[in-house]
Amino acid sequence: TLKKRTVAHLLRNQLRDSLQKTLSTIGAVGDALGRSVFVVGGFVRDLLLRQENFDVDIVVEGDGIAFAEEYARRYDCRVRAHKKFATAVLIFADGFKVDVASARTEYYLEPGALPTVENASIKLDLYRRDFTINTLAIALNGPHFGELLDYFGGQNDLRGKAIRVLHNLSFVEDPTRMFRAIRFEQRLGFQMGRHTVHLLKSAVRMGFLDKISGPRVFNELVLIFRESDPLPAMRRLDELGLLAFIHPTLSVRHLSDGTFAAAKQAVDWYELLYTGERCQRWKVFFLCLLSDLDHGEVQQIVQRLAMPPQCEEFFGSERDAATRILNQIEWRSMQSYRWRDSDIHALLKDLPVEALLYGMAITEHEEARRTISHFITHLRHVKCLLRGHDLQSLGLAPGPIYREIFDALLDVRLDGQVVTREDELQFVTNRYVEKIEEKPSR
Ligand code: ATP
């Protein structure tokens, strides 16, 4: 077991000063209230792995909400309490958040259902967790500050790079843990222990995945797609039968390693170029996963996962439009068709950026990929210079004609036929002379 000194050393070296101070003040409030407090879970796991993690989860033996309120009275922060779950969030002036929970135990009346909850000791609280590597806790109370609690062999499994459940019914009680196991394996470069794989396979075989609601499965998939390289996890989901359970045709076998790598490259490229405009990278990967499926199959998946309406539209009509448009672009690039920028713009302007990046990833035509990237970098944000009041002062009466004029102006700008404001005014005067009612007031 790691010595108290070693953990204290890690806390000092790995964490920034303000976070160290927060942890010790949390311990001090625990002392004042006569309650034991711990930092637990992923935070401790990542601390021992020397990886940064800003999700601080605190567990109090006793009333977590009362603890958080007392902490906020003494130190400068706000509290948001969730009575139903006996949890609270401390929100500091700089926006930093700390989750506080009451130590509790959970039992499951039915597989896949949400658990019944009761107050408990820290040990029972740790026992309800998913994997041994997530059961570590560090005591924060003054006299014990820095003591590591390792009841279930978490450190051993961190050293052995193993993902292990705590007991045989773990996947049955909460089948979402199957997805979590695979996500942690790939993220940390760990492997499930043999017995854990065996338990997972039995739970799949016995159909326990059917007990999880659509939104919970969807959430797990999104979390996997948010990891930096989701393909290995997808392969593992496929191999263990988890994709097929979502839909019998869902598989990554049709995908080459290149597709996900290209998706990752496209997303990284975009996020590097447009730091202010993050895209939802998980959608790009999800589209790759669905790339071989027809409209009906995707609809069944959308239903199975009970996707929210906005995602339903994205994976429904917007995906269909993207596929159609990509086909056109590929076809035209095979014909060596000479694009005008206004054509490219007209074709791509309504597609969400995630669909554009998917197009870049999936196409095998270099020319098509270049066309899309040219749109993203050079055409997407082009606007004409004139505004409504400019048209009015040219003597044009407001109406639907304005939309037409702005579209025409955008086209000639995209094609380089106008550059300055004067050019635009000239263009409108020439093209729409018959619509001009009065003498320009300019
Ligand atoms: P991440 O870095 O992905 O946030 P994490 O380990 O912090 O990983 P969370 O999903 O934030 O994961 O969960 C916090 C803690 O709650 C975990 O460390 C784990 O102990 C526990 N936990 C989360 N989900 C489950 C689950 N389905 N079953 C049991 N314990 C869980």
Side-chain angles (χ1 to χ4, degrees):
T1 277
L2 271 187
K3 297 242 168 50
K4 183 171 160 186
R5 228 175 358 162
T6 319
V7 180
H9 183 76
L10 275 175
L11 290 169
R12 254 198 318 280
N13 284 325
Q14 293 280 115
L15 308 181
R16 52 189 163 79
D17 289 350
S18 58
L19 185 49
Q20 289 180 41
K21 205 164 141 253
T22 305
L23 293 180
S24 60
T25 51
I26 287 174
V29 173
D31 293 343
L33 294 177
R35 295 286 178 206
S36 300
V37 267
F38 307 88
V39 58
V40 302
F43 181 86
V44 181
R45 175 197 71 217
D46 289 344
L47 182 77
L48 300 194
L49 291 173
R50 275 72 168 168
Q51 286 178 13
E52 214 162 44
N53 183 334
F54 295 113
D55 291 336
V56 181
D57 286 316
I58 299 293
V59 171
V60 182
E61 277 186 331
D63 183 345
I65 295 181
F67 176 90
E69 282 166 352
E70 181 59 27
Y71 184 89
R73 254 193 296 283
R74 294 171 181 234
Y75 300 94
D76 190 22
C77 69
R78 290 187 296 122
V79 182
R80 199 190 310 133
H82 302 282
K83 288 236 162 55
K84 190 171 159 209
F85 301 105
T87 61
V89 187
L90 298 173
I91 306 166
F92 292 84
D94 60 0
F96 188 72
K97 293 187 183 131
V98 168
D99 286 319
V100 179
S102 316
R104 61 190 193 268
T105 186
E106 293 176 346
Y107 49 91
Y108 293 79
L109 295 172
E110 228 183 290
L114 291 174
T116 307
V117 178
E118 272 172 17
N119 285 349
S121 67
I122 182 73
K123 185 172 177 184
L124 278 176
D125 185 286
L126 297 170
Y127 184 66
R128 78 189 158 83
R129 289 166 191 266
D130 44 7
F131 311 114
T132 59
I133 58 165
N134 289 337
T135 60
L136 295 163
I138 297 173
L140 298 178
N141 293 78
H144 300 284
F145 192 86
E147 276 174 20
L148 186 73
L149 275 60
D150 182 6
Y151 294 111
F152 309 105
Q155 286 179 91
N156 201 28
D157 286 340
L158 278 181
R159 269 192 298 270
K161 295 179 180 289
I163 308 288
R164 266 188 249 278
V165 289
L166 275 75
H167 57 84
N168 289 353
L169 286 180
S170 190
F171 290 127
V172 172
E173 284 179 352
D174 181 356
T176 59
R177 290 174 186 160
M178 302 190 216
F179 291 88
R180 290 177 60 86
I182 290 171
R183 180 156 58 89
F184 283 126
E185 261 193 343
Q186 304 305 329
R187 181 200 303 169
L188 303 173
F190 283 26
Q191 278 218 317
M192 270 185 258
R194 268 181 45 193
H195 185 57
T196 297
V197 173
H198 171 75
L199 293 171
L200 186 150
K201 285 182 174 165
S202 317
V204 172
R205 218 175 23 247
M206 295 194 294
F208 282 104
L209 283 162
D210 284 331
K211 309 269 181 211
I212 339 175
S213 68
R216 292 186 76 200
V217 180
F218 181 50
N219 182 48
E220 292 302 326
L221 286 178
V222 171
L223 288 175
I224 290 176
F225 282 129
R226 283 201 184 131
E227 297 283 329
S228 71
D229 181 11
L231 182 61
M234 282 296 132
R235 293 228 185 280
R236 192 89 163 114
L237 288 176
D238 204 0
E239 170 194 315
L240 292 168
L242 274 77
L243 289 184
F245 125 85
I246 296 170
H247 193 275
T249 57
L250 201 58
S251 169
V252 282
R253 276 183 284 270
H254 68 283
L255 286 176
S256 68
D257 284 342
T259 312
F260 266 65
K264 183 168 152 48
Q265 206 180 6
V267 172
D268 289 345
W269 167 80
Y270 181 82
E271 289 188 338
L272 198 69
L273 268 179
Y274 302 99
T275 39
E277 301 176 40
R278 298 187 73 77
C279 67
Q280 295 179 288
R281 59 189 295 141
W282 68 268
K283 284 187 176 171
V284 183
F285 291 118
F286 215 136
L287 284 174
C288 292
L289 177 64
L290 301 176
S291 60
D292 226 24
L293 273 53
D294 65 29
H295 179 86
E297 290 162 340
V298 173
Q299 282 314 300
Q300 287 165 353
I301 291 171
V302 164
Q303 308 281 310
R304 164 67 182 100
L305 300 177
M307 288 192 193
Q310 175 210 12
C311 293
E312 204 178 322
E313 183 178 331
F314 180 80
F315 291 106
S317 52
E318 291 183 327
R319 168 185 181 266
D320 292 345
T323 312
R324 223 171 24 247
I325 289 167
L326 190 63
N327 283 340
Q328 281 187 44
I329 294 183
E330 288 181 339
W331 188 80
R332 292 205 211 178
S333 59
M334 280 190 295
Q335 319 288 313
S336 306
Y337 180 89
R338 289 263 325 135
W339 291 97
R340 282 182 311 184
D341 281 352
S342 56
D343 294 331
I344 302 176
H345 188 275
L347 209 53
L348 296 178
K349 70 178 182 347
D350 294 326
L351 289 186
V353 72
E354 291 84 2
L356 294 170
L357 296 172
Y358 161 69
M360 284 176 66
I362 200 87
T363 184
E364 282 165 9
H365 298 268
E366 192 44 42
E367 190 54 37
R369 190 178 356 263
R370 259 203 299 274
T371 304
I372 303 175
S373 79
H374 174 61
F375 171 77
I376 294 178
T377 47
H378 292 101
L379 311 181
R380 195 169 46 127
H381 291 314
V382 172
K383 298 260 181 310
C384 62
L385 303 179
L386 298 189
R387 296 283 166 269
H389 60 85
D390 298 310
L391 301 187
Q392 250 174 317
S393 32
L394 280 177
L396 286 154
I401 184 81
Y402 275 32
R403 180 77 271 140
E404 189 189 311
I405 297 177
F406 288 133
D407 286 348
L409 273 174
L410 184 61
D411 282 353
V412 286
R413 168 161 295 280
L414 285 164
D415 294 337
Q417 294 163 28
V418 298
V419 179
T420 64
R421 204 180 128 75
E422 283 307 313
D423 293 345
E424 289 197 0
L425 287 167
Q426 195 64 55
F427 171 83
V428 177
T429 329
N430 292 347
R431 169 85 67 99
Y432 296 92
V433 64
E434 77 285 3
K435 306 271 187 212
I436 296 180
E437 294 170 343
E438 347 154 350
K439 261 189 96 49
S441 58
R442 218 158 35 94

